Every structure is written in structure tokens, then in C-alpha cells.
């Protein structure tokens, strides 16, 4: 028996004197007993409630016997694909198989199946016909209702129907899993657990379902993509625990999926209690022979201070999983955990992170959220900060100061995303926070997430306008000059997001040129389940407005957009020239200081024109003939480029939304993936060096600490 860990086999059970367990937790991840892993939280929470819990980590999905190694549980199987969606874990956005899996021993790929939660659940059913099965984790949470599946390019049913499970515990799950356990222990049948918030269940009729909002049926959504957009808009408006309604999704006259309102957010005392549970804070010893589990390296010496996010980036699934209401741990709880980290013999003095989905969100957006919930039809930060938004960095500042004083701690870094528009909105403590962030919590590079520079694209993304990021760059530069520090911004950039035509991609390329930045990695938009942006991708409309939005879908156009951002790479030369021709921007092919690329060998010398700027460029553009073969405009989802602008110079509005009827913890597969970036020679402090974006992966612990902090 491995001291302190929960049972993984019969021998461990016998060592504890157990003849059976109450719950068997089946996971697609290796067994890591750390509060950054959902599996560990749920198992330790049930243990604290007096239940016996065993774990089957990464079972052989081809062998039904692998689900019986702990015997039949007394109450239920709990099934999760792991900390990541199994499809995102397996495939890049180009649908190429990943070579590594940070959540498996030795980083070995292929130790879990595609759609792991469905496969595991069906495998259990082959042996245990009547034992209750409860799905949880992010894969099940984001698939609890019908959803677009990018990998098969079609609509898929609720995961409940494909898996044969009885319940989905969606969201973070602490409240719902304890209620489920207590109800089953009290003798209630699993089919009677229809009242628990934060769960979804199957129903044969709606006779006992009251006050529910009926969504479009699955067959309607298969036939009409706009029906899916309307359904998602209703789901989005009902994702709040205080105002959310019960939702019903029909599949036939005798088959329905019912989603109860979300669970209430944790109080500070409940959040603290979750992190007081007796985690071993590392992987199970059975993985030592393979070098351990790589995912632990970035979180072992990090602190989770908050959860939930009111930033609402359209491409992020947090609204559907953690919710918009921010929950935070107390300072005392975090200091106690920091002291425990400092006592670890492997600790070198550097706390890698203090944060959550957005590090500088430490409280709900406004006081009314805890009474009336988040506004269903209004965003807190986009397009402008709400007048009711309560912006204050004082609490986070004090927390960081206390952590810096913990004995044995040399440096405390902030690596979670920091929302820079929220920082700029803080008139009382914003400057003070940025000063201390640069002085104490950044080491050379601050990673930021403007994602794009076109206000058209940023509006679809739910990100602040370009001028807001420009203001932040100026402030960051000024603070580092005051501190006499050479610290740089490394921006995350995203290509091919809905709303981005080749024109917007060219705009971004020009901005990259003016930054003097050479991104070696660019993230293509990844349509993961149950995000606003994914619905745009699948339907060709913005579900918030039902207005058409341009969607780049063809692999070639995606390659063109990505190549424009990486125009300095010689391999992209022909693609860049093609994109510039399509958009009528031949002025950017030449030898001038504003040109992106030089002419190719087949270009005639007479066509080699230096790029122009200012009034000269405007006059040239006005005198130029109408473009041919430019980019299609918003509303022409999935269509090939077909003309850049209308004759009056405005955006095209005559295109129709896509008629396609069928279609996520975390930008990178690994937590904190390496950037591999190198600064350009003598860049200006506070500016952006020519280096490779991407989160730092497994940084070396040095006197400078792990490099790379990200702001949103």
C-alpha cells in the first residue's frame, strides 16, 4: 500500500481493512493527488464525508475486466476523461495526433481513448449492468447537452445518451457530488435524483418536470444550424446559479435530457476547506519508473487563489464550467499552503503562480452578483467595463505581499492570466499593482493575451479594443523604465477566429511588423465544445445577436491567415504573397521599410513597389482599381474568398450564414508549455522582443525564476 494515497488495487483495500468501496473513480488521467486535479478534489471530498473511495486510473479500454479491479462499488462509478477534454488532449487544431500527454506517466501518449468518458462508461456497463454511473470533469460538463463536435464536423447528442450514464455532474462539482453521495447512501434510486443542482439527467417524460425552458430538439438542430445558435443563446443566459432556469432538450416524444440550474458557487470558507484536505501533492509512486507525471511540474509549487471568470472571452469554456461569479480563498488559507510548499525538500524558493482563470479577479464583478446573479444579457468588461464593475487590486496586492514574507520563499511569480483592461480600470490601485507586479512578480517576460488587433475580431472574441492594449503597453513600458528593468511583453495571438477575414489578418501582420515581433508559434482558433466562438464556427452567426459572422474554415485560408502573422518565416513567402494579392495589398510586397515580404523570382521588377503609409498610401488605395479575389466578408461562413470590399468601401453584408447543419483548460495541451523564445538584440525595455509566444513549459528553477507571465 502506498502511504497516504487512496486504493488503486485490491491489496490497498485489504491493507485498509475494506471489503468494498462506496465509489470507484475512473479517470483518463494518471493518479495525481493534488488540488489542481479534479479527480483528487472529488475523491478527497468524498473521503472527508466518510465514504470509501478507490481509483482506477487510465484503465485498458479494450478489456472490461479493467473496470472490475476494485470490484463493484456499493454506491456508484464516477467517470471522468481527466483534467482535459480527451479530444483536445489527443489532437491539435489541425487534427494531427499529439505525440505527448502531460497527464500520463512519462508523458506517454495513447493511454486513454478518444471520447474517454463515453468509452469508459460503456465499458462499465458491459460488466455492471445496473450500477449507477455519474459522469464529471470538463469533457462531460461541456457535452451535457447537444453540441457541435469539431473532430467529426457534426452535431452530437448529449453525452448522457451516448455513454449510457445516469447523471452528469457539471461544473466544478463539489456541492453536487456530496448531494449525490448522500442521496444514494440514504437509499434513493439513481433515477430519482432529479432535484440536485449542477446535474443533468435523462427523462422518459416531462410529467414531473416543472418551470423548465424547452430548447430546440436535437433533430431541429441537426436540420437547422440557426436552431443550435438559438439553443446555445438560451443555455448561455441560464448559466448562472441564481437566475438560471431548468432546461429541457427533447430527443423524441419519450426521451429528454433535463439540465438543472448550476450549483451555487463555493463560499470562501468552503473553498478553503477543499484545499485543507489531505492531498499528497504529487503523483502516485507507481509511476516513478516512468519518470512521474509531467503535469505536476507546473502546479506542484503553485497556488490556486480563485476560480470563476467574468472576463467572458468567447473562445473560452469557463462560463459553462466554472461560471462567471469569482470565488476566492482567504489569505490565511493560501499562506498556510505556501508554508507547506516551502517545507517540501524539493522546493527551491520559487512559487510559480498565485492565481486562477484570471489572476487579478479576486471578487465578484459587483455586489449584486451574489444576490441576483450575473447579468444574463450584459458583459462585465466588454465592449466597455460596466459602470457597476467594482475594480480593486488592493486585496490581491496584500495577498502577494504576505506570500513574499513566507520564510523560505525567495520569489512569488504570477503566471496565470491577468486581464489588462481590468487593471487599467482600477483608478485607485492599478498603478500600484502594476508597479509591484513588474518589480516582484515578473522575470524578464510578461505574457499577454491581446489575441488580435482588429476591433472587428476583438468584438467577436469579447476582448478589449486595440487602443486598450496600446495603453497597457505604454504603462508597462513606463513602469519598467522607472524600475530600470529590461522586461518585455510576449503577446499571444490567435488566427482564424470567427470574424477574421484576410483583411483583418493583414491588419494583424502589419501590427506585428510595427511591434518588431517575430512569432514562431500562432494559435489557430480551436472550436472546442460549448464556447460562444465554437457556435459561431458551426452556425455562421453570432448567437448573441443572430447576425451573420464570417468564419474561415478551409485549411488553405487558415494557412494564409497564420502565414501572414508569421510572414518573416521564409517557408510562408508564397502564402503571404497570395494573401496580399487576394486582399489587394500588393503595396506590402517589395523592398520598402513597410513591406512584409520581397517579391518572388517570378515577380516582374516593374511591380516591385515599396510599401507606403499615411496619406500617400490612402491616395494610392483610392486610385487603385477595385480588388479582385479578396476576402469574403462576415456572413459568408465557410465560403472561399470572393472579393474584398463592396464598391462603397464598406464591409459586405449580402452574404448568408453557413447552411452547414452538422458539426475545448486551455490554449496548450500541456500546463505551461515552453515558449522556446529568444529576445531580439537590444530591444527596448517594455517593448515586444522578437520571440516565440506560448506559455513556459517546465521552466528551469534559477535565481531569476520561471520566465513567462501571461495577462489576458
Amino acid at each position: 500500500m502506498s502511504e497516504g494515497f487512496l486504493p488503486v488495487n485490491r491489496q490497498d483495500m485489504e491493507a485498509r481493512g475494506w471489503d468494498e468501496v462506496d465509489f470507484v473513480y475512473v479517470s483518463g488521467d494518471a493518479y495525481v493527488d493534488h488540488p489542481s486535479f479534479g479527480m483528487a478534489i472529488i475523491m478527497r471530498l468524498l473521503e472527508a464525508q466518510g465514504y470509501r473511495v478507490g481509483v482506477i486510473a487510465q484503465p485498458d479500454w479494450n478489456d472490461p475486466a479493467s473496470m472490475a479491479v476494485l470490484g463493484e462499488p456499493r454506491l456508484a462509478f464516477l467517470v471522468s476523461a481527466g483534467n482535459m477534454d480527451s479530444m483536445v488532449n489527443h489532437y491539435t487544431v489541425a487534427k494531427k495526433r499529439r505525440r505527448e500527454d502531460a497527464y500520463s506517466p512519462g508523458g506517454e501518449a495513447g493511454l486513454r481513448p478518444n471520447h474517454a468518458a463515453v468509452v469508459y462508461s460503456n465499458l462499465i456497463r458491459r460488466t455492471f449492468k445496473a450500477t449507477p454511473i455519474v459522469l464529471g470533469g470538463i469533457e462531460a460538463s461541456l457535452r451535457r447537452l447537444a453540441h457541435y463536435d469539431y473532430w467529426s464536423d457534426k452535431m452530437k447528442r448529449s453525452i448522457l445518451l451516448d455513454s449510457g450514464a445516469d447523471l452528469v455532474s457539471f461544473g466544478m462539482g463539489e456541492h453536487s457530488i456530496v448531494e449525490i453521495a448522500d442521496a444514494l447512501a440514504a437509499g434513493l434510486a439513481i433515477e430519482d435524483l432529479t432535484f440536485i443542482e449542477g446535474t443533468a439527467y435523462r427523462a422518459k417524460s416531462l410529467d414531473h418536470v416543472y418551470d423548465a425552458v424547452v430548447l430546440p430538439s436535437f433533430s431541429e438542430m441537426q436540420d437547422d444550424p440557426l436552431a443550435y445558435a438559438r439553443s446555445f443563446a438560451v443555455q448561455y443566459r441560464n448559466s448562472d446559479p441564481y437566475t438560471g432556469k431548468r432546461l429541457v432538450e427533447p430527443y423524441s416524444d419519450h426521451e429528454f435530457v433535463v439540465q438543472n440550474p448550476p450549483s451555487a458557487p463555493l463560499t470562501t470558507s468552503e473553498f478553503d476547506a477543499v484545499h485543507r484536505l489531505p492531498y499528497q501533492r504529487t503523483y502516485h509512486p507507481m509511476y516513478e519508473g516512468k519518470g512521474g507525471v509531467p503535469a505536476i511540474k507546473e502546479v506542484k509549487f503553485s497556488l490556486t487563489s480563485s476560480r470563476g471568470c467574468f472576463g467572458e472571452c468567447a473562445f473560452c469554456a469557463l462560463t459553462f464550467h466554472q461560471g462567471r461569479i469569482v470565488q476566492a480563498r482567504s489569505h490565511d488559507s493560501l499562506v498556510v499552503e505556501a508554508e507547506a510548499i516551502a517545507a517540501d525538500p524539493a522546493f527551491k524558493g520559487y512559487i510559480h503562480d498565485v492565481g486562477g482563470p484570471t489572476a487579478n479577479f479576486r471578487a465578484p464583478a459587483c455586489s449584486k452578483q451574489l444576490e441576483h446573479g450575473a447579468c444574463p444579457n450584459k458583459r462585465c468588461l466588454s465592449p466597455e467595463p460596466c459602470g457597476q464593475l467594482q475594480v480593486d487590486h488592493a486585496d490581491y496586492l496584500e495577498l502577494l505581499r504576505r506570500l513574499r514574507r513566507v520564510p523560505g520563499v525567495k520569489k512569488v511569480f504570477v503566471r496565470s492570466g491577468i486581464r489588462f483592461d481590468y487593471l487599467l480600470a482600477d483608478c485607485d490601485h492599478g498603478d500600484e499593482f502594476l508597479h509591484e507586479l513588474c518589480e516582484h512578480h515578473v522575470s524578464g517576460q510578461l505574457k499577454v493575451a491581446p489575441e488580435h488587433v482588429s476591433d472587428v475580431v476583438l468584438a467577436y472574441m469579447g476582448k478589449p479594443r486595440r487602443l486598450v492594449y496600446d495603453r497597457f503597453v505604454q504603462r508597462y513600458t513606463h513602469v519598467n523604465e522607472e524600475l530600470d528593468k529590461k522586461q518585455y511583453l510576449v503577446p499571444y495571438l490567435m488566427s482564424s477566429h470567427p470574424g477574421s477575414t484576410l483583411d483583418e489578418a493583414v491588419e494583424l501582420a502589419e501590427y506585428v511588423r510595427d511591434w518588431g515581433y517575430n512569432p514562431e508559434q500562432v494559435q489557430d482558433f480551436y472550436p472546442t465544445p460549448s464556447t460562444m466562438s465554437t457556435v459561431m464556427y458551426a452556425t455562421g452567426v453570432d448567437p448573441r445577436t443572430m447576425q451573420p459572422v464570417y468564419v474561415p474554415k478551409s485549411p488553405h485560408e487558415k494557412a494564409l491567415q497564420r502565414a501572414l502573422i508569421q510572414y518573416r518565416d521564409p517557408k510562408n513567402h508564397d502564402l503571404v504573397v497570395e494573401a496580399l494579392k487576394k486582399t489587394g495589398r500588393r503595396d506590402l510586397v517589395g523592398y520598402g521599410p513597410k513591406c512584409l515580404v520581397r517579391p518572388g523570382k517570378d515577380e516582374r521588377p516593374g511591380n516591385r513597389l515599396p510599401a507606403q503609409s499615411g496619406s500617400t498610401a490612402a491616395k494610392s488605395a483610392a486610385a487603385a482599381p477595385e480588388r479582385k479575389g479578396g476576402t469574403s466578408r462576415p456572413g459568408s461562413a465557410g465560403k472561399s474568398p470572393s472579393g474584398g470590399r463592396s464598391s462603397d468601401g464598406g464591409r459586405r453584408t449580402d452574404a448568408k450564414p453557413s447552411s452547414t447543419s452538422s458539426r475545448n483548460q486551455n490554449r496548450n495541451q500541456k500546463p505551461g508549455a515552453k515558449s522556446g523564445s529568444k529576445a531580439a538584440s537590444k530591444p527596448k525595455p517594455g517593448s515586444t522582443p522578437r520571440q516565440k509566444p506560448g506559455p513556459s513549459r517546465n521552466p528551469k528553477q534559477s535565481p531569476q525564476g520561471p520566465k513567462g507571465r501571461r495577462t489576458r
Side-chain angles (χ1 to χ4, degrees), residues 23 41-42 44-49 51 75 78 169 173-185 193 196-197 199 274:
F23 294 97
I41 289 178
I42 297 301
R44 289 297 184 185
L45 189 60
L46 288 171
E47 180 190 39
Q49 301 299 315
Y51 295 104
L75 297 177
L78 309 177
S169 171
E174 290 98 341
H175 284 155
S176 60
I177 197 62
V178 172
E179 287 192 59
I180 291 168
D182 290 347
L184 291 174
L193 304 190
I196 298 174
E197 293 183 342
T199 64
V274 166

Side-chain angles (χ1 to χ4, degrees), residues 70 76 91 102 182 232 237 292 330 392 423 434 480 502 506 508 569 576 616 630 650 675 684 711:
L70 298 177
Y91 299 100
D182 290 347
F232 186 84
R237 290 194 296 269
S330 69
D392 190 358
L423 187 155
L434 184 58
N480 280 286
L502 283 179
V506 171
L508 180 54
D569 188 335
V576 174
T616 304
S675 68
K684 181 181 178 181
T711 66

Side-chain angles (χ1 to χ4, degrees), residues 421-435:
D421 51 343
Y422 182 79
L423 187 155
L424 294 176
D426 188 351
C427 298
D428 296 325
H429 300 99
D431 287 339
E432 183 182 11
F433 173 73
L434 184 58
H435 190 279

Side-chain angles (χ1 to χ4, degrees), residues 118 121-122 133-135 140 143-147 157-169 199-203 251 255-259:
V118 170
S121 185
N122 281 296
I133 299 175
V134 181
L135 302 183
R143 289 173 164 81
R144 58 189 184 263
L145 295 173
H147 54 280
R157 305 187 303 170
S158 164
I159 195 171
L160 275 169
L161 304 184
D162 290 337
S163 66
D166 299 286
L167 286 177
V168 168
S169 171
T199 64
Y201 63 92
R202 292 178 293 167
Y251 285 83
E255 188 170 45
F256 307 87
V257 171
V258 182
Q259 175 187 298

Side-chain angles (χ1 to χ4, degrees), residues 325-634:
I325 298 176
V326 171
Q327 304 134 74
R329 291 170 62 190
S330 69
H331 291 195
D332 289 345
S333 172
L334 288 158
V335 168
V336 168
E337 187 175 356
E339 291 171 344
I341 288 175
D344 190 314
F347 182 63
K348 304 299 182 183
Y350 304 99
I351 292 179
H352 293 173
D353 187 29
V354 182
T358 302
N360 56 333
F361 290 175
R362 284 275 303 163
C366 63
S367 56
K368 83 175 193 66
Q369 282 195 346
L370 291 180
E371 296 181 11
H372 306 290
C375 298
N377 297 304
K378 188 176 181 181
R379 292 182 172 190
C380 301
L381 280 168
S382 177
E384 299 287 346
C386 175
Q388 301 298 315
L389 182 67
Q390 296 173 344
V391 186
D392 190 358
H393 287 82
D395 176 76
Y396 193 37
L397 270 168
E398 179 56 32
L399 171 62
L400 293 173
R401 289 166 182 165
R402 284 192 64 181
L403 292 172
R404 294 201 301 264
R405 295 194 294 267
V406 171
V409 173
K410 300 176 183 177
K411 199 83 170 177
V412 177
F413 293 101
V414 176
R415 307 187 65 181
S416 298
I418 291 178
R419 188 81 184 217
F420 55 79
D421 51 343
Y422 182 79
L423 187 155
L424 294 176
D426 188 351
C427 298
D428 296 325
H429 300 99
D431 287 339
E432 183 182 11
F433 173 73
L434 184 58
H435 190 279
E436 292 200 18
L437 178 72
C438 294
E439 183 176 13
H440 298 292
H441 306 292
V442 175
S443 180
Q445 299 175 359
L446 180 69
K447 295 184 178 179
V448 292
E451 306 292 358
H452 214 281
V453 298
S454 165
D455 287 343
V456 173
V457 181
L458 292 170
Y460 287 122
M461 288 180 165
K463 302 290 287 188
R465 291 177 297 161
R466 168 175 164 174
L467 63 85
V468 178
Y469 179 65
D470 289 342
R471 283 175 51 210
F472 174 75
V473 172
Q474 293 171 0
R475 292 269 289 275
Y476 181 79
T477 301
H478 177 69
V479 168
N480 280 286
E481 287 174 347
E482 285 185 336
L483 294 170
D484 194 26
K485 285 179 174 284
K486 294 183 178 180
Q487 299 189 132
Y488 309 102
L489 292 174
V490 179
Y492 283 91
L493 301 174
M494 183 181 292
S495 63
S496 304
H497 187 275
S500 177
T501 72
L502 283 179
D503 289 325
E504 282 74 32
V506 171
E507 182 181 351
L508 180 54
E510 290 188 277
Y511 203 78
V512 167
R513 174 200 64 202
D514 297 339
W515 273 339
Y517 178 59
N518 184 21
E520 295 180 24
Q521 281 186 338
V522 174
Q523 175 64 53
D524 275 353
F525 165 63
Y526 203 153
T528 54
S530 297
T531 73
M532 189 74 69
S533 299
T534 297
V535 179
M536 295 182 202
Y537 179 92
T539 66
V541 299
D542 185 337
R544 296 164 293 193
T545 64
M546 296 304 292
Q547 294 300 306
V549 53
Y550 177 75
V551 180
K553 287 188 176 179
S554 75
H556 186 64
E557 183 178 357
K558 288 184 176 184
L560 292 175
Q561 292 208 22
R562 186 168 56 252
L564 281 165
I565 304 174
Q566 299 174 301
Y567 69 87
R568 289 186 176 91
D569 188 335
K571 298 192 298 292
N572 291 332
H573 179 274
D574 291 347
L575 289 171
V576 174
V577 171
E578 179 185 345
L580 295 175
K581 287 180 178 179
K582 284 179 177 289
T583 54
R585 294 303 306 273
R586 291 173 182 264
D587 58 300
L588 296 177
V589 180
Y591 298 93
K594 295 292 186 179
C595 290
L596 299 182
V597 292
R598 294 186 175 186
K601 294 180 180 179
D602 58 343
E603 296 285 334
R604 295 181 180 179
N607 292 332
R608 297 178 181 176
L609 300 176
Q612 299 167 330
S613 60
S615 60
T616 304
K619 291 176 182 178
S620 298
E626 185 179 357
R627 298 181 190 176
K628 295 182 179 180
T631 307
S632 51
R633 309 307 308 170

Side-chain angles (χ1 to χ4, degrees), residues 267-277 328-330 333-334:
T267 64
T268 295
S269 60
E270 288 173 331
F271 205 173
D272 289 351
V274 166
H275 283 264
R276 282 199 303 270
L277 297 172
R329 291 170 62 190
S330 69
S333 172
L334 288 158

Side-chain angles (χ1 to χ4, degrees), residues 197-350:
E197 293 183 342
T199 64
Y201 63 92
R202 292 178 293 167
K204 293 181 179 179
S205 76
L206 300 180
D207 293 344
H208 302 290
V209 178
Y210 302 99
D211 64 8
V213 176
V214 180
L215 301 171
S217 69
F218 181 66
S219 60
E220 288 180 88
M221 290 185 280
Q222 282 184 308
D223 294 337
D224 180 8
L226 298 184
Y228 175 45
R230 289 191 295 270
S231 176
F232 186 84
V234 174
Q235 295 173 45
Y236 198 85
R237 290 194 296 269
N238 288 278
S239 59
D240 183 86
Y242 297 101
T243 62
K245 304 295 184 183
R246 188 169 287 104
L247 304 178
V248 171
E249 189 170 73
Y251 285 83
S252 70
D253 292 339
H254 55 274
E255 188 170 45
F256 307 87
V257 171
V258 182
Q259 175 187 298
N260 289 322
S263 295
L266 296 182
T267 64
T268 295
S269 60
E270 288 173 331
F271 205 173
D272 289 351
V274 166
H275 283 264
R276 282 199 303 270
L277 297 172
Y279 306 102
Q280 297 302 298
R281 301 190 64 84
T282 188
Y283 51 80
H284 193 280
M286 63 183 168
Y287 304 126
E288 286 289 359
K290 291 191 174 182
V293 181
I296 190 64
K297 296 177 183 177
E298 284 303 306
V299 298
K300 187 175 178 64
F301 301 128
S302 296
L303 297 170
T304 299
S305 65
S306 62
R307 68 167 58 157
C309 182
F310 53 79
E312 290 189 88
C313 296
F315 48 81
C316 179
L318 277 174
T319 298
F320 262 52
H321 191 59
Q322 292 191 4
R324 293 171 59 189
I325 298 176
V326 171
Q327 304 134 74
R329 291 170 62 190
S330 69
H331 291 195
D332 289 345
S333 172
L334 288 158
V335 168
V336 168
E337 187 175 356
E339 291 171 344
I341 288 175
D344 190 314
F347 182 63
K348 304 299 182 183
Y350 304 99

